[in-house]
Amino acid sequence: MQRHEVLVIGAGLAGQRAALAAAQAGRNVGLVSKLHPLRSHSGAAQGGINAAVGAEDSVETHIYDTVKGSDYLGDQDAIEFFCTEAGSTVVEMEHFGTIFSRAPDGSLARRPFGGAGFPRTIYAADRTGLALLQAIYEHLGTEEIQTYEEWDLVELVFRDGRAQGVVVYNRRTGEFEGIGARAVVLATGPAGRVYSRTTNSHSSTGDGIALAYRAGAQLKDMEFVQFHPTALLESGILITEGARGEGGILKNASGERFMVRYAPHVQDLASRDVVSRAIVTEINEGRGFPGGYVHLELMHLGKEKIESRLQEICDFARNFAGVDPVTEPIPVLPAQHYMMGGIGTTMRGETNLAGLYAAGEAACVSIHGANRLGGNSLLETLVFGKQAGIAAAAYSATVTDGTVLPEEIEHAAAPVRAMMARTEGAEPLPLRAEMQAVMERRAGIYRNDADLRAGIQELFALRAKRATLRIVDRSTVFNLNVTDALETRNLLDLAEVILAGALARTESRGAHARTDFPTRDDAHWMKHTIAGYNPLGPQLSYAPVAYTRWDPKERVY
Amino acid sequence: MVESVAVPISVYRYDPGRDAAPRYVDYTLDMPRHTPVLTALLRIRSEVDSTLSLRYSCRSSICGSCAMVINSKSRLACQTQVGPELDLHGRIVVDPMRNQPVLRDLVVDQGPFWQDYERIVPHLVPDPAHPMPVGKPNPMTPEEVDRFYETPRCIACGACYSACPAKEADPTFPGPMALAKLYRFVVDPRDGARRERLLRIQPGGLWTCLRCHLCTSSCPKDVRPSERIRDLKELAIQEQGATEAGSRHAVAFKENLHDRGLLNEMRLVRQTDGVVGMLRQAPQGLRLARKKPELLKKPRRIEGQEQVQKLYELLEDEEGGA
């Protein structure tokens, strides 16, 4: 059995930053991912990373914007720490080799982003995630770290009151194996694929969140799902907020710049939840284009600016929507984009389970509260990835080696082997599609009691099919059916948590918009939803929001 | 509603542990013409045969997972639409990438690709003469950022590696992606190992490139690896002079054309490989000369040869000024 002092699962920005921190603390580090690290979904982040480094800007304003953007559900102490770390985090990434876009004077270029008081978003054209991912991967290459690429996470192993390691599935050999660890860091990203229309990659299936949940970790604020206003109509591929930051505007079918009505001060650069709801309202009230979408116009920016600052966007629009943004508007519609919720952690990445840490989109600290601001997620991966790595490294010095017993491997493998033995039953991908349809219909941008209750019933009905999950492929080499089955199981668990939290929260806050409870209710609901696992369904409880200096105010953009 | 067409797709299937030999399995699916090949393959997985194995993740040409050979061309499945392929070929034939062993179906072992990438020391090397500014980013102008050209766009998909005939002929050649990445570090003002990088890559590395530009035409992100390899060759000669057979050949080629407007094959071989190398190649040279005796003759200076020299001067002025 392989053993590490710190084992990081997930090799996107948060995972790699955690691994780097643990290695720098002198620990023996393992890094497991179902993808090659450079193929992680962090690389798809486009717009940028926030840091208040401009002379006119301040950390204080960044904190305020983030608190306000969170609709007062973010923990203010965590937000203060987060924004204070921003400047040094960006500098460090620059020193690691990130090729940021530059201003004429040689400083880091910045662009305006939604919900921000100043141009605060540092960027690398419109591929900031890729630029950061390349740089951290390059820098991590200078440390001794063992990587396990294209291994699926099957189970987290706890014994004697602490994490002992993980059971993983090696796609190359078809073997289930144990990796022992003193501390485990989950940085496995979001579960965007609970929805069918999502900007997230196919790999964003919430594996770490779901397995932590089943192992007893508390999930926090899972009902808060961000829908990005501008995704390509058919494919759901992301068109960065940077497109509006550079001056792009949204128009309805009558050519009206409708955001003027919804956010008179900042129009198209209002917070994402506001813009997404505006688009859906325009469509619902008959002002969308036939088929239900709006236009994102960039033409007035001119060919040179579009092709230099929004190079990837140009390619995406041309290749995936068949439109040229230089001469035509881009048809867009909101799509699931980000999960504010996740495994509940402290600012140090600690979960409620000894030896288990989490960071990045898989975790919920919480700094995004009910709505994340653009440019804050890349920053989160690096700030809290580092914290989780440091904390896991420190913890690992206080415990003995973790071990995974043969019976624990067998326990994790048995359900998968049972699926392989079945000759009848539900296949994972069609079952996943059924679940996605439920989530699109019942837990989208606008929610209500009847839909959410129906959704819970519909998901409950899928449990019977889930019990018959079947793996058709018998191969031991790159048997993707095994991955499909593991992922589908994880998604189904998390879909239930999202619906349960959304049904219980009888208010509208940030990205959670209830048509039957259209206002924010601070007296009853300024608190975090905590979901614990129970075989019958999620058990909800609530935890207070940490707040320091900013009293809740109405959120106007 | 967009009209659907019947799309015949032939997919390479092979599970080395269980199949005696690779085979092609034919599928026909109805889909709109602008459907990406990746979507077609995923529909096969979810509707016809879930055992089809391939790599995919972002479906938006940024993760680099789904590089494969589609109708004989190495490219991303997510970025290739079925309509134009049908127009050109009548059907779609999907194979795994080349120059890497097949693990299963469309999944190849990218181990060699990543090993070649590692060879170029893919990280910034600190420069003791210019330490990083404390607590501040390094200054870098937009013009300096432009010097990277499109190399930061590389998504390491491996399409160029799959398309490269030099890699196929010479497994020690690191391939286009690694060299484009090397260029990215060579021009980085923050890097302290520029000279070592250029010296180290020359033997058996840089000069194996055939300049066929297949890497550039197969790159989904317009990184243009062959142009960056050309840039590296120039930088290497500037750094070290023409010390390799490859660089001597390049310089000899240029001098030949400059002096006479035509290649003098004898002189070219002598300048590239030296007298001993020339003797070693004599049997082959003689065989060639039997078929084309003019090879042994010193070519005449072509008419209007001054104009060739002028062209060289113009080019050198332009590059000097650029």
Side-chain angles (χ1 to χ4, degrees):
Chain A
M1 188 188 59
Q2 295 284 350
R3 269 204 194 121
H4 298 281
E5 289 172 309
V6 175
L7 184 66
V8 181
I9 319 289
L13 281 174
Q16 290 195 53
R17 190 62 190 82
L20 179 62
Q24 285 173 337
R27 296 291 171 266
N28 170 324
V29 179
L31 180 60
V32 178
S33 175
K34 61 181 179 180
L35 303 167
H36 184 279
L38 283 176
R39 315 221 180 284
S40 304
H41 197 52
S42 301
Q46 297 170 1
I49 178 166
N50 290 339
V53 295
E56 77 287 19
D57 202 357
S58 70
V59 172
E60 191 77 2
T61 322
H62 187 190
I63 297 169
Y64 171 71
D65 288 339
T66 304
V67 170
K68 177 184 171 187
S70 81
D71 220 350
Y72 301 92
L73 193 69
D75 287 330
Q76 296 181 5
D77 54 350
I79 293 172
E80 289 186 37
F81 173 76
F82 168 70
C83 297
T84 308
E85 290 287 299
S88 60
T89 301
V90 169
V91 167
E92 179 181 73
M93 289 308 296
E94 197 279 332
H95 288 183
F96 287 172
T98 309
I99 303 167
F100 285 113
S101 295
R102 300 293 178 141
D105 69 354
S107 65
L108 302 176
R110 286 169 287 124
R111 62 165 50 125
F113 243 49
F118 294 99
R120 179 183 297 144
T121 305
I122 292 159
Y123 59 95
D126 53 350
R127 49 172 178 274
T128 314
L130 182 67
L132 293 169
L133 188 66
Q134 288 172 347
I136 195 134
Y137 182 70
E138 287 156 12
H139 192 76
L140 195 62
T142 63
E143 298 284 343
E144 285 291 321
I145 283 171
Q146 185 171 348
T147 58
Y148 302 80
E149 286 154 23
E150 303 187 314
W151 293 54
D152 290 294
L153 179 63
V154 185
E155 200 153 278
L156 304 173
V157 177
F158 288 85
R159 195 178 346 99
D160 306 328
R162 54 163 279 218
Q164 298 280 349
V166 300
V167 177
V168 282
Y169 176 77
N170 181 348
R171 286 188 198 164
R172 288 284 284 265
T173 63
E175 300 279 344
F176 292 89
E177 297 182 33
I179 305 178
R182 296 180 178 205
V184 174
V185 181
L186 294 175
T188 48
R193 286 278 157 181
V194 293
Y195 293 86
S196 54
R197 189 177 158 73
T198 173
T199 64
N200 284 189
S201 71
H202 285 281
S203 314
S204 303
T205 53
D207 305 328
I209 310 177
L211 291 169
Y213 172 59
R214 279 206 288 273
Q218 295 179 338
L219 304 191
K220 197 195 289 178
D221 294 337
M222 288 292 286
E223 65 269 31
F224 293 98
V225 177
Q226 179 168 82
F227 292 82
H228 196 286
T230 58
L232 291 181
L233 180 61
E234 198 168 354
S235 57
I237 289 169
L238 174 67
I239 300 296
T240 175
E241 188 164 307
R244 281 169 290 132
E246 295 293 348
I249 52 175
L250 292 162
K251 284 189 176 171
N252 63 21
S254 27
E256 182 204 4
R257 188 178 179 185
F258 57 87
M259 279 313 298
V260 172
R261 279 187 275 115
Y262 297 86
H265 303 296
V266 294
Q267 296 106 26
D268 301 89
L269 277 179
S271 186
R272 286 178 181 174
D273 55 333
V274 175
V275 182
S276 286
R277 281 196 294 275
I279 292 172
V280 171
T281 304
E282 289 298 297
I283 293 167
N284 288 349
E285 295 181 355
R287 292 187 294 276
F289 288 89
Y293 60 91
V294 298
H295 275 165
L296 172 63
E297 288 194 0
L298 304 178
M299 297 95 80
H300 57 285
L301 302 180
K303 185 178 163 77
E304 200 197 26
K305 189 169 182 183
I306 297 174
E307 289 186 344
S308 62
R309 305 259 186 100
L310 302 167
Q311 195 172 31
E312 303 295 331
I313 292 312
C314 274
D315 276 9
F316 292 162
R318 287 167 185 162
N319 289 325
F320 301 117
V323 300
D324 185 347
V326 173
T327 57
E328 302 164 272
I330 309 172
V332 294
L333 188 65
Q336 192 283 340
H337 180 58
Y338 188 87
M339 294 198 147
M340 274 68 75
I343 304 162
T345 70
T346 65
M347 280 187 259
R348 290 161 43 81
E350 299 149 322
T351 70
N352 60 311
L353 301 177
L356 186 69
Y357 298 78
E361 199 172 340
C364 177
V365 177
S366 132
I367 48 161
H368 309 306
N371 174 66
R372 174 179 70 82
L373 293 187
N376 270 355
S377 63
L378 286 177
L379 182 59
E380 180 194 17
T381 62
L382 296 166
V383 168
F384 292 108
K386 176 179 173 184
Q387 291 304 312
I390 291 172
Y395 171 85
S396 73
T398 67
V399 291
T400 53
D401 280 348
T403 53
V404 180
L405 305 174
E407 56 265 36
E408 287 165 334
I409 298 173
E410 196 42 46
H411 179 264
V416 180
R417 296 199 212 283
M419 291 181 211
M420 283 183 170
R422 270 181 209 123
T423 52
E424 286 182 0
E427 283 204 56
L429 293 181
L431 178 59
R432 186 186 299 190
E434 281 190 69
M435 172 210 60
Q436 290 170 337
V438 171
M439 294 301 284
E440 290 287 340
R441 201 163 57 232
R442 307 300 187 187
I445 290 177
Y446 283 115
R447 301 156 174 193
N448 64 61
D449 183 88
D451 273 347
L452 292 165
R453 279 182 201 283
I456 289 171
Q457 290 299 318
E458 288 159 0
L459 281 191
F460 199 77
L462 293 185
R463 284 189 167 202
K465 282 196 182 171
R466 170 187 176 152
T468 71
L469 264 181
R470 162 185 175 223
I471 288 171
V472 176
D473 197 345
R474 297 285 189 274
S475 177
T476 54
V477 184
F478 267 83
N479 183 336
L480 290 194
N481 279 193
V482 172
T483 306
D484 296 338
L486 294 169
E487 290 176 344
T488 300
R489 218 168 53 166
N490 294 334
L491 289 168
L492 282 164
D493 275 341
L494 299 179
E496 289 188 0
V497 179
I498 293 169
L499 284 176
L503 176 65
R505 187 175 283 273
T506 51
E507 67 158 350
S508 289
R509 183 185 294 270
H512 175 65
R514 290 277 301 252
T515 52
D516 45 354
F517 296 94
T519 53
R520 198 173 77 196
D521 178 359
D522 289 331
H524 296 98
W525 287 107
M526 203 172 128
K527 57 188 181 185
H528 297 295
T529 306
I530 304 293
Y533 178 76
N534 180 298
L536 296 174
Q539 297 297 296
L540 301 184
S541 58
Y542 293 89
V545 172
Y547 79 109
T548 54
R549 290 184 282 157
W550 289 272
D551 289 331
K553 282 192 288 195
E554 198 193 344
R555 212 163 131 248
V556 182
Y557 287 104
Chain B
M1 200 59 209
V2 187
E3 217 170 295
S4 286
V5 293
V7 180
I9 308 181
S10 198
V11 183
Y12 176 99
R13 302 295 305 266
Y14 184 42
D15 187 345
R18 306 194 309 167
D19 300 336
R23 65 192 195 285
Y24 288 90
V25 178
D26 297 325
Y27 307 89
T28 302
L29 296 167
D30 287 334
M31 59 188 83
R33 286 173 48 85
H34 65 271
T35 307
V37 170
L38 177 64
T39 305
L41 295 170
L42 296 186
R43 275 191 54 196
I44 292 172
R45 288 201 74 229
S46 61
E47 296 169 26
V48 187
D49 182 356
S50 64
T51 68
L52 173 62
S53 199
L54 69 153
R55 286 194 180 97
Y56 62 96
S57 184
C58 79
R59 56 74 166 96
S60 57
S61 65
I62 201 74
C63 77
S65 297
C66 68
M68 50 188 77
V69 175
I70 301 167
N71 286 340
S72 301
K73 195 178 167 203
S74 299
R75 47 188 152 171
L76 296 181
C78 70
Q79 215 188 42
T80 308
Q81 297 178 356
V82 297
E85 293 307 303
L86 292 182
D87 295 343
L88 276 171
H89 305 278
R91 63 182 193 145
I92 291 165
V93 181
V94 187
D95 284 281
M97 277 199 284
R98 303 189 192 105
N99 289 337
Q100 294 149 96
V102 173
L103 291 173
R104 167 142 183 227
D105 297 344
L106 302 172
V107 180
V108 297
D109 180 359
Q110 289 204 287
F113 170 75
W114 292 116
Q115 282 157 21
D116 283 333
Y117 163 83
E118 290 296 335
R119 274 171 61 193
I120 63 111
V121 190
H123 56 81
L124 280 188
V125 173
D127 183 352
H130 300 95
M132 300 273 180
V134 178
K136 284 190 300 194
N138 292 279
M140 199 188 289
T141 62
E143 292 70 37
E144 283 176 300
V145 172
D146 286 345
R147 285 209 63 197
F148 291 99
Y149 290 102
E150 305 299 316
T151 53
R153 292 188 76 191
C154 175
I155 55 173
C157 65
C160 60
Y161 196 88
S162 168
C164 179
K167 182 71 206 174
E168 189 182 347
D170 178 2
T172 66
F173 179 58
M177 180 272 190
L179 291 174
K181 192 57 110 174
L182 175 71
Y183 175 84
R184 171 251 171 280
F185 287 105
V186 164
V187 298
D188 196 318
R190 299 167 293 190
D191 191 67
R194 183 177 185 276
R195 180 173 162 79
E196 291 70 27
R197 290 180 190 281
L198 287 170
L199 300 190
R200 194 182 313 124
I201 198 62
Q202 286 223 57
L206 207 47
W207 298 98
T208 310
C209 167
L210 305 167
R211 294 171 300 236
C212 70
H213 301 289
L214 277 173
C215 52
T216 290
S217 66
S218 61
C219 176
K221 305 306 280 188
D222 203 27
V223 170
R224 301 180 169 265
S226 55
E227 295 181 11
R228 301 296 80 80
I229 293 171
R230 176 205 61 203
D231 295 340
L232 281 172
K233 286 174 176 171
E234 280 182 23
L235 293 170
I237 292 176
Q238 280 171 22
E239 191 68 43
Q240 197 181 15
T243 54
E244 296 286 315
S247 49
R248 284 196 304 265
H249 184 79
V251 170
F253 206 95
K254 179 188 155 188
E255 285 175 2
N256 267 253
L257 288 185
H258 181 269
D259 295 351
R260 296 186 171 269
L262 273 179
L263 287 183
N264 176 346
E265 299 284 347
M266 297 286 280
R267 182 179 164 200
L268 196 63
V269 175
R270 194 183 66 239
Q271 284 181 301
T272 302
D273 291 323
V275 177
V276 176
M278 203 177 170
L279 288 174
R280 206 174 292 137
Q281 292 179 44
Q284 193 190 359
L286 289 172
R287 273 200 305 280
L288 276 172
R290 210 168 295 148
K291 287 189 182 160
K292 282 185 97 179
E294 64 271 23
L295 279 179
L296 293 178
K297 283 191 216 141
K298 193 171 178 178
R300 270 197 312 277
R301 191 176 288 222
I302 61 163
E303 216 174 291
Q305 185 270 339
E306 330 69 64
Q307 291 178 17
V308 175
Q309 290 186 355
K310 275 217 177 86
L311 277 174
Y312 269 109
E313 282 164 25
L314 278 172
L315 275 171
E316 273 161 15
D317 279 357
E318 198 172 89
E319 276 168 21

